[in-house]
Structure formats: C-alpha cells, structure tokens
Amino acid sequence: MKKKEIEEEEIENACNWGDLPLDVFPLILNKLPDIGDFIRFRAACKPWRLYTSLSDLPSQFPWLVEVLCQGPDLHFYSIPYCRSYSTRTHSTYGKQLFGRTSCGYIIACQVQYYASNADHLSLVNPLNNHEVPLPALKYDFHEHLRFLTNISWICPSTFKKDDYVIVTDRARRLAVCKIGDDRWDIIGSASMKRCFYLKGLLFMLDLQTRVTEVMDIAGRKVLYVIQLPQSEIFRFSEIPHLVESREEILAVFRHPSSGSEVYRFDIYRLELGNGEGYPRWIKVRSIGDRILFLDFSTAHGFCLSDNDFGLFRGNFTTKFTNLFHNYTHHTHGNSLRASVAGFKGNRIYFRDRKDLRLAHVIAMYDIEKGQTFVTDSLFNGDDNIVTWYMPTLSHV
C-alpha cells in the first residue's frame, strides 16, 4: 500500500465523525439551507440525528408542488436550486389531494370505489409523512352527486393546531371544524364567493356584489360588510386576490395583460379600525421587505419576508427573463437574455395556468420597476394542480 493511502486510512480511522462537538452542528446546518441536504445530514448516522432537531431546519423558499389528478404521487420544484423532487408516502396513498397548502400540509380525501354520501378527509404532510384525521364530511346523497367540484381548504398562511379547519365541499357549502372534533358545522354557502381565513375571522368576498363580509367563526356572526376599493387603474369588475400579510389582509388587483402591455398591480390594505370607525381599504405603494406568492388559478397565496431567506439572498440567484421584451414561448433559450433576480422584497411571485403566457412558467413582478419577469417551472400544469408549497418537517 502506498504511503499516502496509509496516511489517509490512519486519519480516517482516527476520526469518528459521529463524535463531532455539539457546537459544530449549528455551523454545519447553516451551510445546508436546502431541505434535501438537511434530511441527508440527519440520516447519516444516529448521533447526527439525535443532536439535531426538525426545528433546526432553516427557513425555506417556497416550492412548487404538482398534485396529480390520479394517484398519490407528488412532484416538487425548488426555485433557488432548480431541483425537482418526487415522493409517494403512505400518508398520501389511496387519497385524492387538492390544491391550497399551509405549513407543508395538503387536504386529502380517501378514494372510494363505491357510492358514498361522505368524504373522509385528513391533512397530510408528504415530507414528514404526518397525517391529521378530520371528521367525515357527510352529504345528502343527491347533493353529493349534483356537483362535480373539488374540495378546497380555506387555509391561513400559517396553520396551527388550534386554528379552525374551513373547507368548501363538493356541494359548495362552507364547513367548519377543529382538529379533534367529531363533526363538521355547515355555516353557509360558498357559491360565487372567494373566502379567506385569518385568526378566527372568515373573509367572504361575493363575486357578484363585490362586497366582503367578515365573520367571527366562534360566534358565527358577521362583524363587518365592506365594499371593495375603487381601483384607480382597474375596472370595478376586476376581482382581487386576498392574501394575509403580517396579520393584515391585502387585496391584490392584477391587470389582465394583452399584446405587449405590461402587467400592472394595485395593492390595498384593509384597516378594520379596531372596532372604532368603519373599516376601509388603504392603497399601498410598496410592500417593503415583503414578498407575495400568489396562485390565481386556485386563489391561494401567502406573504413572506426577504429576511427569512438570508441564506438564499447571498448565495443563490435565479434567472428571470423579461416577459414582454423577450417573449416567444417558455424555453431555456430565453435565459440567454435574462436578468439575474435575487430573492428580494417588494416583489410578487405568481402563477396562473389560465393565462397562456403564464401557464408553464413562474412569474415575478417587481413592484418598484413595474416589470414582469419569468422563469421555467418544469410543470406544464395542463391537467394537474400546480401551486405554491412551503416545505417543512414540523408537525402541527
């Protein structure tokens, strides 16, 4: 054996990597911002797993998740790393999954191969294989067959164990329960409404009257009735996207683009007045260090801060092509004239598979510059649900 090989073997034998000093672990984990590398590190040996906690996982930049219409497979795409992941776990096996996600959880329904008047629901996290059972959602049999709609979870940006679980069911009813309850309460109809939940309050935007009702879930009482803001640059008929931002409600209007016209956005903040005076919408010119993630197809969205992504801001960038200055089709060739876009605040990342220009890409709107850029998403989204997903290994 060569002398160099002998020395390397002696060094390897003398070093027990399982006995690293405890103060070294935080330094290593700070160099592993990607959840995949974090999982591999904890799986290397028993001491590394024991000396790290799931709560040590650094804040993740949102992924895209593709939920297949048939089957339990899930496909994920990480924007900072341009990586794709696929998973099939027992928590998703034999279940139909629906769009909208919160804290890594997706609402699922047990697939039934016979006529039934009930949906057996649960919340599943495909990354940690955790499942939260929910009560069976029962229907009048004819009511169940009348509609072909999917179930939609009206989820907050950050779901906690004591939060209400609110869904619109196949009969377009609003159903409410809490984890551990044995039944759902039907509190009204969701037909022609866009709903959002935040800290015990249900915001219901009527798509016909453009009026928002704010209901206290615990008391089943409507507290406010609020008219939509009169946008300066949009038609009154435009329907905004409601999104939570630091315990505030924002109404985001997107101007539908045509030809070479640039996308434009209007943002309003809802002020409830703390019980004093009338609620009102205040126009917002900038959202500062905040980043909005919107999916116009599923009416799903949430807000994060660029301070959450310190590891990404300094080390990772994604190439975004100017949508209108260099647009022919979604191709990798467009990146030759791309601008490099770090993960900064005052931006809106959005998707809309109903818009032909955005069906296969991730769009980023720079509020300060008033420009829209795009990058590849790897998902075509033609038949399957593709929406935003916050990867996490923690349990609710």
Side-chain angles (χ1 to χ4, degrees):
M1 186 179 291
K2 296 181 180 180
K3 181 178 180 181
K4 184 177 181 181
E5 293 177 348
I6 295 175
E7 292 177 350
E8 290 178 351
E9 183 177 354
E10 290 176 350
I11 293 174
E12 184 176 349
N13 293 334
C15 182
N16 186 349
W17 292 102
D19 294 333
L20 292 175
L22 295 181
D23 55 356
V24 173
F25 283 89
L27 301 177
I28 297 176
L29 295 178
N30 283 335
K31 301 294 183 180
L32 302 175
D34 179 64
I35 192 172
D37 294 334
F38 179 84
I39 292 173
R40 296 184 189 97
F41 177 84
R42 297 187 77 237
C45 62
K46 187 174 181 179
W48 290 12
R49 181 178 179 87
L50 292 176
Y51 297 151
T52 57
S53 170
L54 296 180
S55 61
D56 294 329
L57 176 68
S59 298
Q60 299 293 296
F61 195 85
W63 290 356
L64 285 180
V65 58
E66 182 182 37
V67 181
L68 301 183
C69 294
Q70 300 292 332
D73 295 305
L74 288 171
H75 303 299
F76 302 95
Y77 178 65
S78 170
I79 301 174
Y81 292 94
C82 300
R83 292 179 184 173
S84 59
Y85 305 89
S86 297
T87 181
R88 172 184 286 190
T89 63
H90 73 74
S91 64
T92 61
Y93 188 78
K95 297 181 176 67
Q96 181 182 5
L97 305 179
F98 301 98
R100 293 195 183 185
T101 67
S102 181
C103 291
Y105 284 82
I106 306 174
I107 195 161
C109 178
Q110 188 71 39
V111 175
Q112 302 180 53
Y113 301 99
Y114 53 87
S116 173
N117 67 337
D119 281 324
H120 299 274
L121 305 178
S122 61
L123 300 176
V124 298
N125 185 330
L127 297 187
N128 63 16
N129 213 20
H130 185 234
E131 183 173 8
V132 180
L134 299 173
L137 187 53
K138 299 180 180 180
Y139 304 87
D140 174 80
F141 188 69
H142 298 290
E143 193 174 49
H144 185 266
L145 294 179
R146 180 181 173 188
F147 296 88
L148 298 176
T149 57
N150 290 329
I151 296 168
S152 180
W153 180 21
I154 303 172
C155 53
S157 299
T158 304
F159 180 74
K160 299 179 181 178
K161 190 174 182 179
D162 58 347
D163 277 326
Y164 286 98
V165 181
I166 309 174
V167 301
T168 59
D169 65 14
R170 300 183 195 274
R172 302 303 298 160
R173 302 176 303 177
L174 280 168
V176 179
C177 78
K178 279 196 169 185
I179 295 177
D181 287 352
D182 57 1
R183 67 183 182 88
W184 294 86
D185 288 335
I186 307 300
I187 61 172
S189 172
S191 180
M192 295 300 296
K193 290 180 181 178
R194 183 172 293 176
C195 301
F196 187 84
Y197 170 70
L198 170 64
K199 299 189 70 172
L201 298 178
L202 179 63
F203 296 77
M204 298 175 288
L205 170 61
D206 191 302
L207 302 184
Q208 293 179 318
T209 65
R210 310 302 196 263
V211 169
T212 301
E213 292 184 343
V214 183
M215 174 187 286
D216 174 24
I217 297 295
R220 308 292 196 266
K221 180 181 179 182
V222 175
L223 303 179
Y224 307 104
V225 178
I226 311 167
Q227 186 69 51
L228 279 182
Q230 292 280 3
S231 174
E232 297 175 5
I233 61 174
F234 300 102
R235 300 188 306 272
F236 178 67
S237 60
E238 293 297 328
I239 300 171
H241 194 110
L242 299 182
V243 60
E244 174 192 350
S245 173
R246 294 178 180 169
E247 300 188 355
E248 297 177 332
I249 297 294
L250 301 180
V252 182
F253 291 84
R254 185 190 62 166
H255 183 71
S257 176
S258 61
S260 61
E261 191 177 2
V262 177
Y263 284 98
R264 292 179 295 174
F265 286 80
D266 242 357
I267 304 176
Y268 290 82
R269 183 183 72 251
L270 177 61
E271 286 193 355
L272 294 176
N274 296 322
E276 300 179 1
Y278 293 101
R280 58 176 182 163
W281 294 96
I282 305 297
K283 187 169 184 178
V284 176
R285 303 288 182 182
S286 168
I287 57 175
D289 64 348
R290 289 177 279 187
I291 308 173
L292 299 183
F293 297 86
L294 307 179
D295 182 355
F296 288 93
S297 301
T298 62
H300 173 51
F302 51 86
C303 173
L304 298 173
S305 169
D306 66 355
N307 294 323
D308 296 331
F309 311 117
L311 292 172
F312 295 101
R313 284 188 300 168
N315 301 317
F316 300 91
T317 57
T318 297
K319 289 186 177 181
F320 281 79
T321 303
N322 188 297
L323 178 59
F324 295 99
H325 292 174
N326 187 38
Y327 184 86
T328 54
H329 197 290
H330 147 67
T331 64
H332 292 279
N334 280 348
S335 63
L336 295 176
R337 292 178 57 190
S339 63
V340 177
F343 301 114
K344 303 176 182 178
N346 209 30
R347 291 178 172 179
I348 301 173
Y349 290 81
F350 63 100
R351 281 185 50 84
D352 188 354
R353 66 176 181 174
K354 298 177 182 178
D355 187 325
L356 294 179
R357 297 191 174 205
L358 303 175
H360 309 288
V361 299
I362 305 164
M364 184 272 291
Y365 177 74
D366 189 312
I367 296 176
E368 181 179 357
K369 295 181 180 179
Q371 293 180 310
T372 302
F373 302 86
V374 297
T375 190
D376 294 337
S377 73
L378 300 188
F379 299 136
N380 59 41
D382 290 339
D383 301 316
N384 304 322
I385 298 173
V386 178
T387 190
W388 295 106
Y389 179 82
M390 278 300 299
T392 179
L393 300 173
S394 300
H395 293 188
V396 293

